[in-house]
């Protein structure tokens, strides 16, 4: 087959891409790749060969080199109620060459050279269906908006600065906002040399986060718009972290009562009170902070911390309910806890009490500060992985459930496990249970960060 077709304009390429909309992937499988079970990533190759009549390649330049246009074929999926779309996964761009990339400016970087303009072709991923039956939905030319490009440049610099500091082995997807450095290779043991340290680093590739792609997909396919917290001109000179500190600065030191009075905040004591208050302080009343453009694209989650006078929260910090089947059957890098802490940033809004509850039952906290935080890679690969492995091993042989006068005790790692994270119940009541992989029933469990660890994270505020 002739794979030498040349395209003279982006419009010509887009016309060809759009001709595939509504058709199935299998209609372009001219080299029978669907019959090869081990052909990972085959849909993109199928489209290159069968639609564009191009030979798949791993060249440094963009796929349509004369047009500086890269081709990416990526999946989207619908939610359970079939009312919204989300990206199936992050959009992987190109491998990061630690030994060379740090020598370049952003404009000279391999990232910009290859991905300045991207032809995105979306297909619908359907669980349990052969990928040849996936329908091709839509094709668009992606170019970063002014605001997005400002943040992507900042993200690129964060990655480069870690390489220059000899810390390529400490890079985490949570370090950055939209542009991530995801692990890339046959497995986590695909290691590479780095220029300023003898410690091998995981092979990583530039990627656009799943959260970024989901927000983009919803805008393209559903005309869904989101509110921005910051203006493009602000992001050109300052990071989101710096801008958040600026926005909160006038309120630091004020009590919760003073903050409510200042913005005429309606009194309420439900669980969303703090989140609603913070949205009002940032001028986005009526919009959850998690749903704003910057937070949605960067997968930043909002958490309130209330410190006691001694600087330690009264309670540990809870996260998702545990899916025990996934915990047992998924690999470490596909696990719940890895996904949560590798891919997520958290905005901690920290309040502190000046009196104990015993000293004043009607005490009111003041706003101590904020912190934009992601778990360091070193903690992810040690204490967090240790929690995952320990729970995985316990599930493999069966959880020990023991009846005591105070209820049912289990042998999952508790608060004294490693000082960082642990497992504990979080359920409506003792009867609110789920089934373990071995068939036993257990009160719903959640993974938590220890309150002492949280105190250490925000100690310098």
């Amino acid at each position: 087959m002739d794979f030498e077709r040349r395209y003279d304009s982006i419009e010509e390429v887009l016309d060809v891409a759009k001709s595939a909309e509504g058709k199935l992937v299998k209609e372009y499988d001219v080299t029978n790749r669907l019959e090869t079970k081990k052909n990972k990533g085959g849909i993109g190759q199928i489209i290159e060969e069968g639609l564009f009549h191009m030979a798949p390649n791993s060249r440094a330049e963009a796929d349509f080199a004369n047009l500086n246009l890269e081709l990416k074929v990526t999946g989207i999926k619908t939610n359970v109620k079939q009312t919204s779309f989300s990206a199936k996964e992050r959009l992987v761009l190109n491998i990061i060459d630690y030994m060379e990339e740090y020598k370049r400016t952003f404009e000279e970087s391999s990232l910009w050279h290859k991905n300045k303009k991207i032809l995105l072709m979306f297909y619908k991923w359907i669980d349990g269906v052969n990928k040849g039956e996936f329908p091709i939905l839509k094709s668009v030319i992606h170019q970063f908006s002014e605001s997005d490009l400002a943040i992507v440049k900042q993200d690129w610099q964060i990655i480069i600065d870690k390489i220059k500091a000899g810390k390529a082995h400490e890079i985490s997807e949570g370090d950055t906002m939209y542009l991530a450095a995801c692990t890339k290779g046959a497995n986590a043991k695909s290691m590479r040399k780095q220029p300023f340290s003898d410690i091998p680093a995981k092979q990583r590739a530039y990627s656009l986060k799943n959260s970024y792609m989901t927000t983009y997909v919803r805008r393209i396919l559903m005309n869904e718009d989101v509110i921005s917290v910051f203006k493009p001109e602000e992001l050109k000179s300052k990071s989101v972290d710096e801008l958040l500190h600026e926005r909160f600065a006038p309120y630091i030191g004020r009590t919760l009562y003073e903050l409510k009075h200042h913005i005429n905040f309606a009194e309420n004591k439900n669980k969303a009170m703090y989140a609603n208050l913070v949205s009002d302080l940032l001028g986005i009343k009526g919009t959850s902070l998690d749903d704003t453009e910057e937070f949605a694209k960067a997968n930043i989650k909002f958490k309130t911390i209330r410190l006691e006078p001694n600087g330690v929260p009264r309670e540990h910090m809870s996260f998702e309910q545990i899916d025990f089947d996934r915990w047992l059957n998924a690999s470490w890098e596909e696990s719940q806890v890895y996904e949560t802490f590798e891919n997520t940033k958290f905005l901690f809004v920290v309040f502190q009490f000046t009196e104990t509850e015993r000293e004043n039952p009607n005490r009111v906290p003041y706003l101590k500060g904020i912190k934009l935080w992601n778990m360091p890679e070193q903690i992810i690969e040690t204490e967090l992985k240790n929690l995952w492995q320990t729970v995985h091993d316990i599930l493999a042989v069966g959880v020990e459930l023991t009846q005591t006068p105070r209820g049912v005790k289990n042998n999952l790692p508790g608060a004294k496990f490693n000082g960082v994270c642990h497992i504990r119940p979080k359920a409506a009541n003792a009867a609110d249970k789920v089934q373990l992989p071995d068939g036993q029933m257990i009160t719903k469990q959640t993974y938590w960060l220890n309150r002492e660890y949280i105190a250490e994270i925000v100690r310098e505020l």
Side-chain angles (χ1 to χ4, degrees):
M1 176 169 286
D2 182 9
F3 289 121
E4 299 301 324
R5 179 168 176 179
R6 177 184 173 87
Y7 295 85
D8 296 320
S9 70
I10 289 177
E11 291 74 21
E12 182 185 2
V13 175
L14 186 58
D15 284 344
V16 172
K18 286 185 173 296
S19 72
E21 293 178 4
K23 296 182 179 179
L24 303 179
V25 168
K26 66 182 181 182
E27 297 180 50
Y28 299 99
D29 187 20
V30 294
T31 57
N32 299 317
R33 288 184 178 274
L34 292 171
E35 297 176 9
T36 307
K37 293 182 179 180
K38 294 184 179 181
N39 182 25
K40 189 176 181 181
I43 293 180
Q45 294 171 333
I46 287 168
I47 295 300
E48 282 183 303
E49 294 173 340
L51 178 61
F52 292 106
H53 301 285
M54 297 165 53
N57 69 82
S58 57
R59 296 190 298 265
E61 68 264 31
D63 291 309
F64 303 95
N66 63 311
L67 303 174
N68 292 318
L69 179 67
E70 178 73 351
L71 170 65
K72 291 293 180 183
V73 183
T74 188
I76 63 173
K77 57 186 179 180
T78 54
N79 62 11
V80 175
K81 295 181 179 180
Q82 303 290 308
T83 57
S84 184
F85 291 105
S86 61
K88 183 180 180 295
E89 56 199 1
R90 64 175 69 87
L91 186 72
V92 179
L93 301 175
N94 60 289
I95 297 291
I96 302 171
D97 185 342
Y98 299 131
M99 305 302 289
E100 295 295 328
E101 192 75 345
Y102 77 93
K103 301 175 183 177
R104 302 163 178 154
T105 64
F106 176 81
E107 288 73 20
E108 298 167 339
S109 68
S110 64
L111 168 74
W112 195 237
H113 180 65
K114 192 172 177 69
N115 304 289
K116 187 175 184 178
K117 287 180 289 189
I118 304 173
L119 169 60
L120 284 175
M121 294 187 67
F122 296 105
Y123 63 85
K124 185 177 179 181
W125 178 87
I126 306 170
D127 190 24
V129 172
N130 184 292
K131 59 186 177 182
E133 302 297 328
F134 293 165
I136 298 167
L137 297 182
K138 194 173 182 68
S139 297
V140 296
I141 302 296
H142 173 274
Q143 289 183 274
F144 292 109
S145 68
E146 191 177 3
S147 294
D148 286 3
L149 182 56
I151 290 176
V152 165
K153 285 182 176 180
Q154 294 168 9
D155 290 340
W156 179 84
Q157 193 62 55
I158 288 169
I159 295 167
I160 296 303
D161 286 347
K162 277 209 166 180
I163 295 171
K164 288 181 176 179
K167 295 182 178 180
H169 58 289
E170 294 182 13
I171 293 173
S172 166
E173 291 189 53
D175 291 337
T176 49
M177 295 282 291
Y178 301 169
L179 178 72
C182 68
T183 54
K184 181 69 173 174
N187 52 55
K189 295 181 180 179
S190 298
M191 308 299 282
R192 293 291 179 266
K193 291 182 179 180
Q194 57 173 313
F196 301 105
S197 172
D198 293 331
I199 301 173
K202 287 182 183 178
Q203 177 172 273
R204 290 182 178 269
Y206 293 119
S207 66
L208 293 174
K209 291 187 177 184
N210 182 302
S211 49
Y212 177 91
M213 293 303 299
T214 291
T215 305
Y216 183 80
V217 162
R218 290 176 180 173
R219 181 170 67 81
I220 294 298
L221 296 181
M222 302 174 62
N223 295 315
E224 186 176 290
D225 208 0
V226 287
I227 293 175
S228 297
V229 182
F230 308 114
K231 297 176 181 177
E233 54 268 26
E234 292 180 297
L235 292 165
K236 285 183 178 180
S237 58
K238 296 176 182 176
S239 68
V240 168
D241 193 10
E242 291 169 331
L243 290 169
L244 283 169
H245 276 87
E246 280 188 6
R247 294 286 176 90
F248 278 97
Y251 309 114
I252 302 298
R254 296 193 184 192
T255 67
L256 184 59
Y257 175 80
E258 291 171 332
L259 293 174
K260 289 181 178 180
H261 181 73
H262 176 73
I263 59 175
N264 195 27
F265 185 79
E267 180 65 34
N268 64 67
K269 294 186 178 181
N270 61 31
K271 290 184 177 181
M273 182 193 73
Y274 283 95
N276 293 337
L277 176 66
V278 167
S279 292
D280 281 17
L281 291 176
L282 288 173
I284 52 170
K285 186 173 183 177
T287 301
S288 168
L289 197 56
D290 291 354
D291 293 333
T292 62
E293 181 171 16
E294 294 86 353
F295 277 59
K297 286 181 175 178
N299 195 28
I300 300 174
K301 301 301 181 185
F302 167 82
K303 290 274 190 180
T304 302
I305 297 173
R306 286 174 289 178
L307 302 175
E308 292 295 316
N310 66 358
V312 179
R314 174 184 290 187
E315 300 174 343
H316 305 295
M317 182 178 285
S318 67
F319 292 86
E320 289 180 302
Q321 179 186 319
I322 294 173
D323 178 338
F324 285 106
D325 288 325
R326 179 180 175 186
W327 201 299
L328 176 61
N329 297 315
S331 67
W332 158 235
E333 292 192 344
E334 294 175 332
S335 68
Q336 266 186 298
V337 288
Y338 182 87
E339 184 177 271
T340 294
F341 293 108
E342 175 72 16
N343 300 332
T344 311
K345 275 184 175 291
F346 297 91
L347 175 64
F348 293 147
V349 179
V350 184
F351 290 84
Q352 185 162 14
F353 293 104
T354 57
E355 306 164 286
T356 65
E357 191 171 33
R358 178 176 294 181
E359 291 169 338
N360 179 6
N362 299 313
R363 62 188 182 156
V364 176
Y366 71 94
L367 180 60
K368 184 176 185 182
I370 66 165
K371 188 174 184 70
L372 195 58
W373 176 86
N374 62 282
M375 183 176 281
E377 189 72 3
Q378 184 180 7
I379 298 295
I380 290 174
E381 290 294 340
T382 52
E383 284 89 347
L384 189 69
K385 187 173 184 179
N386 191 14
L387 176 77
W388 173 80
Q389 189 66 61
T390 300
V391 174
H392 178 274
D393 293 347
I394 290 172
L395 292 173
V397 298
V399 177
E400 295 177 9
L401 300 176
T402 308
Q403 185 67 50
T404 72
R406 298 182 62 182
V408 179
K409 182 180 178 182
N410 64 62
N411 64 330
L412 296 169
K416 296 181 180 179
F417 176 62
N418 64 12
V420 170
C421 46
H422 65 279
I423 306 297
R424 67 190 297 113
K426 188 176 183 183
N429 51 55
D432 190 12
K433 297 186 177 184
V434 294
Q435 189 174 48
L436 291 164
D438 63 2
Q440 297 184 92
M441 300 300 292
I442 189 171
T443 304
K444 290 178 179 177
Q445 306 283 315
T446 302
Y447 50 95
W448 303 65
L449 292 184
N450 289 29
R451 62 195 188 102
E452 295 83 5
Y453 180 58
I454 296 297
E456 184 62 27
I457 292 170
V458 300
R459 184 170 57 87
E460 299 301 326
L461 293 181

